[in-house]
Amino acid sequence: MSTAKTTQKALIVPAPGAAYVVGESVIPQPGPKEILVKLHAVGLNPVDWKVSQPEFSAVLAPAYPFVPGTDGAGTVVDVGEDVPAETFKKGDRVLFAGYRNVRAYAAFQEYCTIPVMFAARIPANISFEESATVPGTLSSATLGFYNTNNEAESLALKPFWEEGGKAAYAGKPILILGGASSLGQYAIQLAHASGFKPIITTASTPNAILLTSMGATYVVDRSLPTETIIENTHKLAKGAPIEFIFDAVSLPETQTLAYKVLAPGGALAIVLPSAIPAELKKADDNKRVASVRGIVHLPQNRATGAELFKRVTQWLEQEIIQPNAFEVLPGGLAGIPPGLERLKNHQVSAKKLVVRPPETP
């Protein structure tokens, strides 16, 4: 770095069930094929409140204390070895997928390092705040759709950027539950890029215009009774079998709904542990349930994650992918805990909560 500063402010989870605190942390230095980023905006995700809760932390949390945060955007301030200038250089605006299991890679701090394979330049038409809505949930949607080497965790669709990918699903229906969520919005856009039609999604009625602008063909009111949603979905598919479903909510009731809708031999992607009632499962229905692990840093996800970050700049420039709407919370890193409470209490709809780490008191 060009400054003598060696410590920074970071949001820390000190122990299971403990309150988040803003504390001091060492500024990491980039290793080979890594960049050091000064954070200008970070996005909040539901997993960020879950990692501090004992009922989830055994699965989701690394060793304590740790720094959470996945979605980051900022400026490159230092470059490690083996990073060609045409890839990244000081001053570049970048977005990236962070990783809480490696403290240096976590996003809820003023500076972090990140492997270049999971970072991308921010186009001129996109702000830091918009960029901070992209990496985590777009990564989850991409892995849930296109991780072709891992059917246990993906629908394993042919990627639309490969030859024949756009034609592979033309005219096929797809159901996306929770379309107005950050994850659901990216799933709709990927389904549109893959040529699915109709794209049927569930959401509250006020979000219908937003979701159709992103590529949804039909928006079914999520407040309707489950059996009504199932009936309407089949009507909108005009009798075609629904072979692919992406459940961006994955509560027990949405998983049950999805499994009932899914055609025999089809695939359902869920993002929380399976809660599908055993009595619904039949030995001969050949319905595949994939449990998505939306972290590009995991060994089984690295190849698909790298393909995503090679392309995301172009997708944003060409508006193949539109960032989420966002709301900036005051207080920098100190504004994250109140924002996570809002996510926990389901008080956020159709937008991403974002903070600016430089505004931390």
Side-chain angles (χ1 to χ4, degrees), residues 28-353:
Q29 296 302 305
K33 299 182 180 179
E34 293 181 350
I35 52 177
L36 177 65
V37 179
K38 180 178 180 179
L39 277 299
H40 293 286
V42 298
L44 281 60
N45 292 294
V47 71
D48 297 320
W49 69 259
K50 292 178 182 176
V51 293
S52 71
Q53 303 301 307
E55 62 266 38
F56 298 107
S57 59
V59 175
L60 297 174
Y64 292 88
F66 70 93
V67 176
T70 300
D71 290 352
T75 304
V76 177
V77 293
D78 203 0
V79 177
E81 296 178 0
D82 301 322
V83 179
E86 61 268 22
T87 305
F88 294 109
K89 62 184 184 300
K90 291 181 182 180
D92 282 345
R93 299 190 321 138
V94 296
L95 59 85
F96 64 87
Y99 187 36
R100 62 182 172 273
N101 283 32
V102 178
R103 186 161 182 154
Y105 296 171
F108 289 172
Q109 48 193 341
E110 293 180 294
Y111 296 85
C112 73
T113 55
I114 202 73
V116 295
M117 68 189 301
F118 301 134
R121 284 194 176 93
I122 298 172
N125 60 317
I126 303 293
S127 69
F128 286 122
E129 291 79 10
E130 289 174 303
S131 300
T133 76
V134 174
T137 40
L138 179 59
S139 293
S140 294
T142 301
L143 292 167
F145 271 56
Y146 305 119
N147 201 359
T148 54
N149 295 319
N150 189 6
E151 287 194 351
E153 299 179 4
S154 178
L155 297 177
L157 304 176
K158 185 177 182 63
F160 70 88
W161 59 85
E162 293 184 359
E163 185 176 355
K166 288 188 176 181
Y169 308 101
K172 285 184 174 289
I174 188 171
L175 173 62
I176 297 168
L177 298 171
S181 65
S182 175
L183 178 57
Q185 290 180 43
Y186 290 122
I188 288 169
Q189 294 179 78
L190 293 179
H192 184 258
S194 283
F196 281 100
K197 195 166 185 178
I199 299 170
I200 305 165
T201 190
T202 59
S204 57
T205 303
N207 292 321
I209 294 175
L210 170 67
L211 301 184
T212 53
S213 75
M214 292 182 168
T217 315
Y218 304 112
V219 179
V220 179
D221 185 352
R222 66 179 177 84
S223 69
L224 293 171
T226 295
E227 294 305 319
T228 304
I229 293 175
I230 293 171
E231 180 182 350
N232 289 353
T233 299
H234 285 301
K235 285 180 179 178
L236 295 171
K238 296 179 172 58
I242 298 177
E243 299 172 340
F244 299 103
I245 300 177
F246 189 94
D247 186 354
V249 182
S250 294
L251 295 175
E253 55 267 33
T254 61
Q255 292 188 35
T256 298
L257 185 159
Y259 201 83
K260 288 181 176 180
V261 170
L262 188 65
L268 161 63
I270 58 176
V271 296
L272 291 175
S274 178
I276 299 165
E279 59 268 23
L280 287 183
K281 300 178 180 180
K282 298 177 182 178
D284 59 351
D285 66 10
N286 296 316
K287 295 183 180 183
R288 180 169 61 87
V289 179
S291 295
V292 179
R293 299 186 69 193
I295 302 171
V296 293
H297 296 262
L298 296 176
Q300 68 270 31
N301 295 340
R302 291 173 68 84
T304 301
E307 292 299 319
L308 162 63
F309 280 91
K310 286 177 187 176
R311 294 168 171 81
V312 67
T313 302
Q314 182 183 46
W315 293 353
L316 290 167
E317 287 174 336
Q318 297 177 354
E319 298 185 349
I320 294 170
I321 294 295
Q322 301 175 46
N324 299 150
F326 64 88
E327 175 188 343
V328 177
L329 303 176
L333 297 173
I336 292 176
L340 296 180
E341 278 297 308
R342 287 175 56 188
L343 288 175
K344 183 178 180 181
N345 294 324
H346 307 290
Q347 295 171 332
V348 180
S349 178
K351 63 184 175 183
K352 193 96 159 186
L353 301 181

